[in-house]
Amino acid sequence: MKKINKIGLIAGFTIILGTGIFMANADKNINAMLSKKIVYSDIKEQVKATKQEKREKNKENQEKQEKKGTKKIKPSKNGNGAYNVNGTIIVNKKYGLDENYSYEDNQELYDQATEAFNNMQKDAEKDGVWFYTVSRYRSYAVQNWVYEGYKKEREHVDTFSAKPGYSEHQTGLAFDINGENPETSSNYKFEGTKQYKWLRKNAYKYGFILRYPKDKKDITGYKFEPWHYRYVGTDISYDLKDGNTTLEEYFNLE
């Protein structure tokens, strides 16, 4: 009997001791949980602050990029007297060429353009489409003759013909293209030809762009010319393959 009471006493003491330890641990766990809650709250605030800082940084970077994108580029003039941006010759209403400038001043580019056009012409023939160059290189003197002739015959000549010194043809990199029908030569009827459709779909593969697209007269100064293609090389032509972006827009020119 005494032995049983002793065992009971020990067991009871063990239970009380265990309960005390449990309660002590429970208090510690509760305190730890409360502590964690406070820490979590702090971390949450820190994360919130970090996200806000990141948003502000992104906004700042975006504003910098937008500001950079609106900065106009002024072409530089090379030793041969042609304005250019990163090697791409720029000739438009604002940037012209010296009177004595000719395709020989960019002979390497001229030769590249010749080879590219020949390859394009051959590949088009494989697709059953034939075209040729109506006009390519025109000297300052020839352009002057063309321009003055238009002035005598037609109004608003500056919307479709360049003044001497301001024509891409003087570089030899501009190609006026037509097909079999002489009635579509250098006029808006060319837009309805299979040649035009083929060029719009494939010319960029050879380094050519449609130089004066539709609805860009306020940028280029010229009306839509579906026949006028310019050799710029494939690095640029692939970027402009949609046929709706001008060189002025591409380089963000002044």
Side-chain angles (χ1 to χ4, degrees):
M1 186 71 179
K2 288 182 180 179
K3 187 175 182 181
I4 294 172
N5 290 337
K6 189 176 180 181
I7 293 171
L9 182 63
I10 293 170
F13 178 75
T14 302
I15 292 170
I16 293 169
L17 180 63
T19 302
I21 293 171
F22 172 79
M23 291 302 294
N25 286 336
D27 288 341
K28 287 182 181 179
N29 289 336
I30 291 169
N31 289 333
M33 287 173 66
L34 290 172
S35 176
K36 285 182 180 179
K37 187 175 181 181
I38 293 170
V39 171
Y40 175 74
S41 178
D42 290 343
I43 292 173
K44 190 176 181 181
E45 288 300 318
Q46 290 175 8
V47 170
K48 187 178 179 182
T50 302
K51 286 183 177 180
Q52 179 63 25
E53 184 181 350
K54 189 175 181 180
R55 281 195 296 268
E56 290 175 357
K57 191 69 176 176
N58 288 339
K59 185 179 179 181
E60 183 181 343
N61 290 335
Q62 186 178 354
E63 288 174 351
K64 284 182 180 179
Q65 289 298 321
E66 288 175 354
K67 187 176 181 181
K68 184 179 178 181
T70 57
K71 184 180 179 181
K72 293 291 185 179
I73 303 298
K74 182 177 181 179
S76 58
K77 206 167 189 179
N78 62 25
N80 293 328
Y83 287 96
N84 74 95
V85 177
N86 299 328
T88 299
I89 296 175
I90 304 297
V91 181
N92 58 20
K93 294 283 188 180
K94 186 174 182 178
Y95 301 105
L97 300 163
D98 296 337
E99 185 174 348
N100 296 323
Y101 190 94
S102 79
Y103 70 91
E104 294 177 342
D105 290 303
N106 52 257
Q107 186 69 56
E108 186 176 353
L109 275 173
Y110 181 88
D111 292 341
Q112 288 176 12
T114 301
E115 183 179 5
F117 181 83
N118 290 340
N119 290 335
M120 183 169 70
Q121 194 178 43
K122 289 176 184 177
D123 289 345
E125 287 180 13
K126 293 176 184 177
D127 292 336
V129 178
W130 182 83
F131 51 76
Y132 69 103
T133 303
V134 176
S135 179
R136 184 179 176 182
Y137 172 69
R138 293 203 292 261
S139 66
Y140 182 99
V142 170
Q143 185 63 32
N144 183 60
W145 176 77
V146 170
Y147 181 78
E148 291 299 324
Y150 279 132
K151 279 179 65 176
K152 294 176 183 178
E153 299 172 0
R154 301 169 65 178
E155 297 180 347
H156 310 297
V157 62
D158 289 324
T159 64
F160 62 86
S161 182
K163 292 179 180 179
Y166 293 85
S167 170
E168 282 191 328
H169 286 286
Q170 196 176 335
T171 67
L173 301 176
F175 292 69
D176 288 346
I177 301 172
N178 193 38
E180 298 95 337
N181 188 351
E183 291 185 4
T184 61
S185 179
S186 299
N187 62 54
Y188 299 110
K189 292 180 181 179
F190 185 68
E191 184 183 8
T193 66
K194 61 182 180 181
Q195 285 80 7
Y196 173 75
K197 293 175 182 177
W198 191 94
L199 288 166
R200 281 300 304 268
K201 185 178 179 181
N202 299 286
Y204 75 91
K205 300 173 185 176
Y206 305 86
F208 290 90
I209 63 169
L210 180 66
R211 183 63 177 93
Y212 305 121
K214 282 184 177 180
D215 304 320
K216 293 299 175 77
K217 180 176 170 289
D218 58 327
I219 296 172
T220 64
Y222 295 102
K223 295 179 179 179
F224 172 48
E225 293 190 357
W227 63 89
H228 186 120
Y229 278 79
R230 160 75 194 272
Y231 180 76
V232 293
T234 51
D235 286 346
I236 295 175
S237 65
Y238 269 76
D239 289 340
L240 304 182
K241 65 181 181 180
D242 64 356
N244 297 315
T245 306
T246 67
L247 278 182
E248 286 77 11
E249 292 171 301
Y250 181 73
F251 287 119
N252 198 25
L253 300 179
E254 284 187 353

